[in-house]
Amino acid sequence: MDLALLRTFLAVHRAGSLTRAAADLGVSQPAVTAQIRTLEQRVGRELFVRLPRGVAPTAAADELARAVAPHLDALAAVAHETLIPDSGSHAVVRLGCPASLTTTLLLPALAPLVDEGLRVVVAGGRSEELVAQLAAGRLDMTLSVTRPRLPGVTVIPLADEEYALVGAPRWKPFDRAGRTPLLDLAEDLPYIGLYWSSVYDAESPSRAALVIPDLRGVLDAAVAGCGVAVLPRPLCAPALDDGTLVLLDEPEIPPIRTLFVAVRGQRARSAAVARVRDRLVAVASRW
């Protein structure tokens, strides 16, 4: 079978759209449509259901993608690293990163690589959203606070991230049954909920007084005295050191989440992606 057909198929499967796949491949949409029809004729099965916006893979398409993705990704890596040896200096690494990891892990890792000429486009969002973009082929790699379990995705544990209940000194002692305002990243209280369930074995409060969709903003609000927050210990460590924040609780076993880096394929798709992955592993090992 023509590998070009499989490459086009995988691009459509990951993009969920003939139009986006055509843009990714640098060809016209009619060419992509024709190749998908040819492949469907050869395998004797429908691979995609056409929707008003985009396409949805059939079970046969999912099975084919699981079978071919690791091999096509490996061939792409060979093309980048062997056939185009200087590709690392020109490649753009598309990297997903949750807000909690941007200032503490991602920026210290990227700084020396950017100095060396690496080009990076960072996408923000919650871990589940970024993993979905990775699976669709819109990201080369992503950091995640949950272990992605997807076919064709390689996952490496980075470090354990500890969470702390913090606030300005005015909020100490903290009475969780009182009316202390709570701060969080989203209305479903992902960080407050984690702490309450892990430490107090209880449901989290029903709402936050202030929701800011950026953990750096939550940190700034806590320092300003707006309320109490649950934050990753590396993110709030400087504020704890200078006394603008204090620990409001010191449980024997604090909440911990394992951080992961996920890369499409069984190996990095390019030398540039491998450099970023290895640098993240090195920085996280010092936490």
Side-chain angles (χ1 to χ4, degrees), residues 97-160:
C97 185
S100 63
L101 303 177
T102 302
T103 58
T104 56
L105 181 60
L106 182 62
L107 297 183
L110 290 182
L113 301 183
V114 172
D115 283 346
E116 296 169 6
L118 182 73
R119 299 171 59 209
V120 182
V121 176
V122 178
R126 300 177 69 169
S127 290
E128 58 270 23
E129 299 165 351
L130 297 172
V131 169
Q133 292 185 52
L134 178 71
R138 292 190 285 275
L139 294 174
D140 297 306
M141 61 193 304
T142 188
L143 292 166
S144 176
V145 296
T146 58
R147 177 184 283 275
R149 300 184 184 278
L150 294 171
V153 171
T154 301
V155 179
I156 301 172
L158 288 178
D160 289 332

Side-chain angles (χ1 to χ4, degrees), residues 17-42:
S17 162
L18 297 171
T19 302
R20 285 197 297 270
D24 291 342
L25 295 169
V27 300
S28 67
Q29 180 179 329
V32 170
T33 301
Q35 290 190 22
I36 293 299
R37 286 176 178 168
T38 299
L39 183 61
E40 288 178 328
Q41 292 171 357
R42 293 192 182 182

Side-chain angles (χ1 to χ4, degrees), residues 7-269:
R7 179 170 175 262
T8 298
F9 157 76
L10 191 59
V12 174
H13 188 272
R14 286 172 165 168
S17 162
L18 297 171
T19 302
R20 285 197 297 270
D24 291 342
L25 295 169
V27 300
S28 67
Q29 180 179 329
V32 170
T33 301
Q35 290 190 22
I36 293 299
R37 286 176 178 168
T38 299
L39 183 61
E40 288 178 328
Q41 292 171 357
R42 293 192 182 182
V43 300
R45 295 182 182 180
E46 184 180 39
L47 296 174
F48 296 101
V49 177
R50 277 62 175 177
L51 304 175
R53 299 182 67 178
V55 294
T58 63
D62 288 336
E63 181 180 352
L64 181 59
R66 283 193 293 270
V68 305
H71 306 290
L72 291 179
D73 286 341
L75 287 172
V78 170
H80 277 286
E81 297 173 18
T82 305
L83 302 180
I84 313 174
D86 64 343
S87 62
S89 61
H90 302 290
V92 175
V93 178
R94 301 190 180 277
L95 169 63
C97 185
S100 63
L101 303 177
T102 302
T103 58
T104 56
L105 181 60
L106 182 62
L107 297 183
L110 290 182
L113 301 183
V114 172
D115 283 346
E116 296 169 6
L118 182 73
R119 299 171 59 209
V120 182
V121 176
V122 178
R126 300 177 69 169
S127 290
E128 58 270 23
E129 299 165 351
L130 297 172
V131 169
Q133 292 185 52
L134 178 71
R138 292 190 285 275
L139 294 174
D140 297 306
M141 61 193 304
T142 188
L143 292 166
S144 176
V145 296
T146 58
R147 177 184 283 275
R149 300 184 184 278
L150 294 171
V153 171
T154 301
V155 179
I156 301 172
L158 288 178
D160 289 332
E161 186 177 50
E162 180 182 319
Y163 291 83
L165 181 67
V166 299
R170 62 179 290 210
W171 300 116
K172 192 171 184 176
F174 173 64
D175 178 12
R176 67 184 178 95
R179 297 182 177 275
T180 307
L182 301 176
L183 316 173
D184 212 323
L185 185 72
E187 292 186 73
D188 59 351
L189 307 185
Y191 290 89
I192 294 291
L194 168 69
Y195 198 93
W196 258 241
S197 63
S198 176
V199 175
Y200 303 135
D201 192 24
E203 292 186 2
S204 69
S206 60
R207 61 191 179 192
L210 181 60
V211 172
I212 305 173
D214 179 346
L215 272 191
R216 191 77 198 183
V218 175
L219 170 65
D220 291 342
V223 169
C226 295
V228 169
V230 172
L231 294 170
R233 192 65 178 259
L235 180 64
C236 61
L240 290 172
D241 290 341
D242 65 24
T244 52
L245 288 181
V246 296
L247 290 173
L248 300 177
D249 191 12
E250 298 187 57
E252 183 177 348
I253 303 177
I256 289 176
R257 279 179 175 169
T258 301
L259 309 178
F260 303 91
V261 59
V263 181
R264 281 193 289 131
Q266 293 181 331
R267 56 182 294 183
R269 291 165 59 86

